[in-house]
Amino acid sequence: MESPHLIFLRNAVSGQTVPVVPLRDALHRLDHMLTGLAGDLHIPYAGPYVGLGQMTRQHQLCIAEHQWSAQERGWGVAICVSHPVHGWRAEWRLATVSRERLPLIVQALPALFAGYAAAADASPAAQRPSTKRIHEIAGIFAH
């Protein structure tokens, strides 16, 4: 049986109306799951853009080793400022984005996981159990 938060997020991606508080909780759990998987794989990935208004390419979902604070650094997913010179700078975790950006994050999940699965397949970590799990999650969002 699959994790309830993944099923909840799949339903949200499919257009089902979901309450904001449980949605943020599901995104927090997904963030935690991805932290473990990305920490095992160590594969950076530039995912879909999730910018608002006329700045659609200003923010991007990125899986990488992020510097969250002076004391906290680690692999995971973040909404990053996409800058041509300075690279990715983590701004928010999945569950902490504005209410306005929340639907963009949810709708970007299938592309994030499909792309990350392809990046993992093309890496030396292709045979790791974490890659298999990324494919399983991508499959959940693909249906």
Side-chain angles (χ1 to χ4, degrees):
M1 176 143 173
E2 194 49 70
S3 301
H5 67 278
L6 292 175
I7 302 302
F8 182 87
L9 288 169
R10 181 190 63 197
N11 292 340
V13 166
S14 299
Q16 192 176 86
T17 302
V18 296
V20 173
V21 172
L23 178 59
R24 289 192 188 277
D25 180 62
L27 287 170
H28 173 75
R29 292 171 190 271
L30 180 65
D31 189 336
H32 182 72
M33 180 186 294
L34 262 175
T35 296
L37 295 169
D40 179 52
L41 296 173
H42 288 215
I43 301 167
Y45 174 68
Y49 288 99
V50 289
L52 296 173
Q54 295 178 353
M55 309 287 262
T56 57
R57 296 179 68 89
Q58 183 177 11
H59 289 97
Q60 188 172 16
L61 281 173
C62 298
I63 298 173
E65 186 176 20
H66 299 292
Q67 183 75 44
W68 291 105
S69 68
Q71 295 82 24
E72 186 182 2
R73 181 175 189 84
W75 280 87
V77 63
I79 293 82
C80 296
V81 170
S82 180
H83 192 277
V85 175
H86 303 294
W88 303 326
R89 186 185 76 221
E91 295 232 328
W92 304 285
R93 296 184 188 270
L94 293 178
T96 61
V97 298
S98 69
R99 184 175 273 224
E100 187 178 24
R101 192 179 310 270
L102 202 54
L104 294 174
I105 301 301
V106 170
Q107 292 306 310
L109 292 176
L112 175 71
F113 280 97
Y116 195 50
D121 285 344
S123 78
Q127 300 305 314
R128 296 184 69 87
S130 294
T131 299
K132 180 179 183 250
R133 183 64 177 140
I134 293 293
H135 276 280
E136 290 169 356
I137 296 169
I140 289 168
F141 288 120
H143 294 96

